[in-house]
Amino acid sequence: MKSTFFAGAVAALTSFTTVVSAQSYNQTGPFYLQIKSDNATLDGRYLTACHSGAAQETLCLGKVDSPTTNKASASFFWNTTDQSPVGVLIWNLVLAKNPDGTQMVVSSPMTLDYTPGTNVATTRFGPNEIDRSVQVGFNNSVMYMTWWNDDSTFLAGQYPTGDSSREITNWNVCWVLAGSYYYNALAWVTGGAPHNPTCEAVSVVKVEPSA
Ligand SMILES: *[C@@H]1O[C@H](CO)[C@@H](O)[C@H](O)[C@H]1NC(C)=O
Ligand SMILES: *[C@@H]1O[C@H](CO)[C@@H](O)[C@H](O)[C@H]1NC(C)=O
Ligand SMILES: *[C@@H]1O[C@H](CO)[C@@H](O)[C@H](O)[C@H]1NC(C)=O
Ligand SMILES: *[C@@H]1O[C@H](CO)[C@@H](O)[C@H](O)[C@H]1NC(C)=O
């Protein structure tokens, strides 16, 4: 329901403007995110931001195979600083035009939502989430996250030393609940075999728009 959506969005924005983060970023994009998979049904599909609550979106398997038919929902950005090889994945939520004709755009960072009963976390873009956002990087365009301390190397009573960080790419396409919506969407498996039997491991690749 449109009016409910915008009322919620405005409420979320009001709190957003009061807690603006001081961190500044360099931004690259827009770019698209494409699935790579051995499964021909999934391979080549683009990810799109789809509605999962007031001013909230998750990364759905595109209803369209080409982002050219819906560029805004398939266009993402990457906010980085010189201090780190990883940065924040961003989707711009475009709100209705203000009465003066200007368009309100909310730079929405990606977070992961975890629930206690499963190792499958869902993606979520929302305003006011920068402190909870996850950091992603691109290695030869392949999207990864960093595991700073690999706890499989831990020893009892010995504080971990050395750099055990590594790139991890636990992306899966699964049927998930995002808010109250049931979507075939990108998800993150924290470790081991996915608890959700609909999950299929995939790679996510950054694609520059051709025009
Ligand atoms: C991302 O970076 C751009 C450009 O610096 C900035 O305008 C935007 O507010 C940033 N987004 C977030 C969520 O910090
Ligand atoms: C390929 O993916 C589709 C959609 O997730 C799924 O229904 C199908 O079972 C998969 N095929 C194989 C061979 O895994
Ligand atoms: C953004 O990029 C410029 C040019 O490379 C650099 O001088 C600046 O420090 C960067 N900003 C941040 C926040 O890392
Ligand atoms: C980047 O990806 C390549 C190819 O998959 C891999 O060999 C390399 O180790 C990766 N880089 C890092 C820093 O993990």
Side-chain angles (χ1 to χ4, degrees):
M1 225 164 300
K2 214 164 188 178
S3 58
T4 314
F5 169 69
F6 283 113
V10 167
L13 283 170
T14 309
S15 60
F16 175 68
T17 50
T18 60
V19 202
V20 170
S21 168
Q23 175 74 58
S24 70
Y25 296 99
N26 284 320
Q27 186 173 77
T28 51
F31 51 82
Y32 305 134
L33 293 172
Q34 190 179 37
I35 297 291
K36 293 285 175 210
S37 170
D38 292 340
N39 183 329
T41 310
L42 301 176
D43 190 48
R45 300 283 290 274
Y46 288 89
L47 295 172
T48 62
C50 57
H51 178 75
S52 61
Q56 312 285 315
E57 300 76 31
T58 192
L59 278 172
C60 283
L61 200 54
K63 293 191 187 92
V64 288
D65 291 347
S66 164
T68 55
T69 54
N70 193 349
K71 279 186 180 167
S73 71
S75 295
F76 301 93
F77 299 83
W78 191 41
N79 275 21
T80 56
T81 67
D82 294 341
Q83 278 73 51
S84 177
V86 287
V88 184
L89 188 65
I90 298 280
W91 184 71
N92 283 342
L93 173 67
V94 177
L95 294 179
K97 280 203 167 85
N98 296 319
D100 67 0
T102 57
Q103 198 118 48
M104 201 170 192
V105 175
V106 187
S107 176
S108 302
M110 188 177 80
T111 61
L112 290 178
D113 285 338
Y114 301 91
T115 51
T118 180
N119 60 353
V120 179
T122 53
T123 66
R124 185 164 55 86
F125 295 91
N128 200 17
E129 298 278 8
I130 193 69
D131 294 340
R132 293 188 56 231
S133 63
V134 293
Q135 303 263 306
V136 302
F138 297 95
N139 178 350
N140 292 316
S141 298
V142 177
M143 186 162 75
Y144 68 87
M145 291 206 283
T146 305
W147 196 359
W148 297 107
N149 288 294
D150 179 352
D151 64 353
S152 72
T153 67
F154 284 9
L155 299 169
Q158 288 184 30
Y159 194 87
T161 54
D163 179 9
S164 68
S165 70
R166 58 189 179 90
E167 296 178 4
I168 45 172
T169 54
N170 298 355
W171 302 112
N172 276 245
V173 167
C174 315
W175 281 93
V176 294
L177 275 170
S180 55
Y181 296 84
Y182 194 53
Y183 285 133
N184 199 16
L186 190 72
W188 179 263
V189 175
T190 57
H195 191 254
N196 174 335
T198 69
C199 290
E200 285 190 62
V202 296
S203 297
V204 179
V205 175
K206 179 177 156 186
V207 176
E208 302 297 334
S210 47

